[in-house]
Amino acid sequence: MTKKAAAVAPVLVRHVIWLGWKLVVFLSFALCFIALLRLHFSPDISSPTNSLSRTRWRSRIPRYNFDGPPKIAFLFLARLNLPLDFLWGSFFENADAANFSIYIHSAPGFIFDETTSRSHFFYNRQLTDSIQVAWGESSMIEAERLLLATALQDPANQRFVLLSDSCVPLYNFSYIYRYLMASSRSFVDSFLDLKDGRYHPKMAPVIPRDKWRKGSQWISLVRSHAEVVVDDEVVLPVFKKFCKRRPAVDTSKGKLNLKLQKQHNCIPDEHYVPTLIAMSELEGDIERRTLTYTLWNQSATKMDNKAWHPVTFNYADASPKRLKEIKDINHVHYESEARTEWCQTNSTFVPCFLFARKFSRGAAMRLLSEGVVGPFDASSLLGNS
């Protein structure tokens, strides 16, 4: 090797190294620029509202072009069978089959057929993917979501009404159908209760304190809002982690009760949907009230197991006078918000409630004899009592 060649070699090495550094610097700047563009044009992933908006666009519900009469999906949340199926059977008997559909979430494996139900309307209407539900647990809202998800598969279903196995209709089908279809809004009981103590601080920042709501779980949703509930992947995981029921008081545990009662207490089904609606910025699109009447037992004794439980209506309680009192209710007052919700549809005042709970079998038979849901001979049931 000559002296000239030996001198050129280090220069070439330095040139290659210099070009390499320039390439690294250029790529670094390019990557930073791309990252800045993504941050600028993409929504803030830390924002719960934006996350919910993206979830709605990812809807798992197939979109169909719907043309035909809209249907009400009646969603029954049952522990096992439907003890008031004979009343509902009469209710549906006086309806056009093209205007409704029925879905039942019951115990896994329970089948509705001629051996378990008095009404053919309920045959094989149970979900095939039902789960075991425990009161006051997140399994309750998961069951509600399963009902909504199944009903959404039918594009004709445009209204979704959640009912318990002790609910009764206060009017015939025709009136309820017109009432629901006349309104383009959902009916979701929703209010702010700062004193309930159920909000867990660890829910933040996903669920802000000012979006926390409380209300009855018995809801009536329009289709777009039903999709919001089914599509939710943001709020539900937080509920499952931080909204849990405190163990019930057990007198046999003595002083241990004092420790147990210090645990955080939250009832998921009383908060999930109204909170989700608030998080989704949809409160302006709903009537903030429920369509299901409930009479609460307000016990003054905190250790009383019946405290703040719904009162059961028996035969004597289902008199025409009592039913008229319920039907005549035209407003609901929310003390925690100093708000009075006047019940109206399209600026027309209407009765607040279409359904009521909890009704015993005897009370339901009295509704039949009074012709509340339509003509029916209640004596025909006595042989099957």
Side-chain angles (χ1 to χ4, degrees), residues 95-339:
D96 186 339
N99 291 334
F100 70 90
S101 53
I102 299 170
Y103 304 86
I104 311 169
H105 185 286
S106 183
F110 188 84
I111 305 296
F112 283 81
D113 56 26
E114 62 275 7
T115 66
T116 58
S117 177
R118 295 171 181 267
S119 173
H120 66 90
F121 288 106
F122 299 109
Y123 293 173
N124 296 312
R125 299 314 303 159
Q126 71 281 345
L127 301 191
T128 58
D129 57 351
S130 63
I131 60 174
Q132 196 64 47
V133 174
W135 180 84
E137 304 292 345
S138 59
S139 56
M140 183 77 78
I141 56 179
E142 291 182 276
E144 295 174 13
R145 282 160 51 93
L146 285 171
L147 281 166
L148 288 168
T150 304
L152 280 167
Q153 299 301 317
D154 183 350
N157 289 330
Q158 297 295 310
R159 302 292 185 274
F160 303 78
V161 180
L162 185 65
L163 300 160
S164 78
D165 53 15
S166 65
C167 278
V168 299
L170 295 173
Y171 300 90
N172 61 29
F173 181 88
S174 177
Y175 181 87
I176 290 177
Y177 184 86
R178 293 196 308 269
Y179 188 115
L180 291 174
M181 293 303 172
S183 175
S184 61
R185 301 160 76 86
S186 292
F187 296 86
V188 179
D189 194 36
S190 176
F191 58 94
L192 184 63
D193 189 355
L194 297 176
K195 297 179 181 179
D196 71 357
R198 292 182 178 178
Y199 178 80
H200 199 300
K202 290 186 178 179
M203 290 179 176
V206 177
I207 303 177
R209 183 70 178 86
D210 65 340
K211 297 296 184 182
W212 182 252
R213 300 290 186 271
K214 185 178 181 180
S216 168
Q217 76 177 109
W218 311 113
I219 55 178
S220 173
L221 302 178
V222 297
R223 188 174 180 90
S224 61
H225 294 166
E227 291 173 351
V228 169
V229 176
V230 172
D231 287 342
D232 171 41
E233 296 174 354
V234 177
V235 177
L236 180 63
V238 179
F239 263 73
K240 293 173 73 172
K241 188 173 183 179
F242 297 113
C243 186
K244 298 180 180 180
R245 179 174 61 94
R246 179 189 299 151
V249 174
D250 185 347
T251 54
S252 65
K253 293 181 179 179
K255 293 184 179 180
L256 181 58
N257 276 306
L258 297 176
K259 182 178 180 180
L260 292 175
Q261 294 309 300
K262 290 181 180 179
Q263 295 182 19
H264 185 263
N265 187 46
C266 184
I267 310 298
D269 57 79
E270 294 182 1
H271 297 274
Y272 175 65
V273 173
T275 297
L276 178 61
I277 292 294
M279 292 273 296
S280 304
E281 305 295 340
L282 293 171
E283 285 187 304
D285 298 333
I286 67 171
E287 297 286 345
R288 295 174 62 193
R289 59 185 176 90
T290 180
L291 295 177
T292 301
Y293 176 82
T294 305
L295 178 63
W296 293 92
N297 169 47
Q298 302 179 27
S299 174
T301 307
K302 291 184 178 181
M303 298 294 283
D304 185 350
N305 289 331
K306 295 183 179 179
W308 283 101
H309 272 58
V311 172
T312 298
F313 286 79
N314 295 309
Y315 184 91
D317 305 311
S319 66
K321 179 182 178 182
R322 186 71 185 96
L323 289 178
K324 185 178 184 304
E325 290 173 353
I326 296 173
K327 290 181 175 183
D328 286 346
I329 297 173
N330 61 5
H331 69 279
V332 181
H333 182 69
Y334 294 90
E335 186 176 348
S336 63
E337 293 182 338
R339 169 172 64 93

Side-chain angles (χ1 to χ4, degrees), residues 370-385:
E370 298 290 343
V372 172
V373 300
F376 189 84
D377 181 10
S379 63
S380 65
L381 293 171
L382 297 180
N384 296 325
S385 299

Side-chain angles (χ1 to χ4, degrees), residues 18-33:
W18 182 75
L19 287 175
W21 275 109
K22 284 186 69 175
L23 182 61
V24 169
V25 171
F26 174 78
L27 290 174
S28 299
F29 273 109
L31 290 172
C32 289
F33 181 71

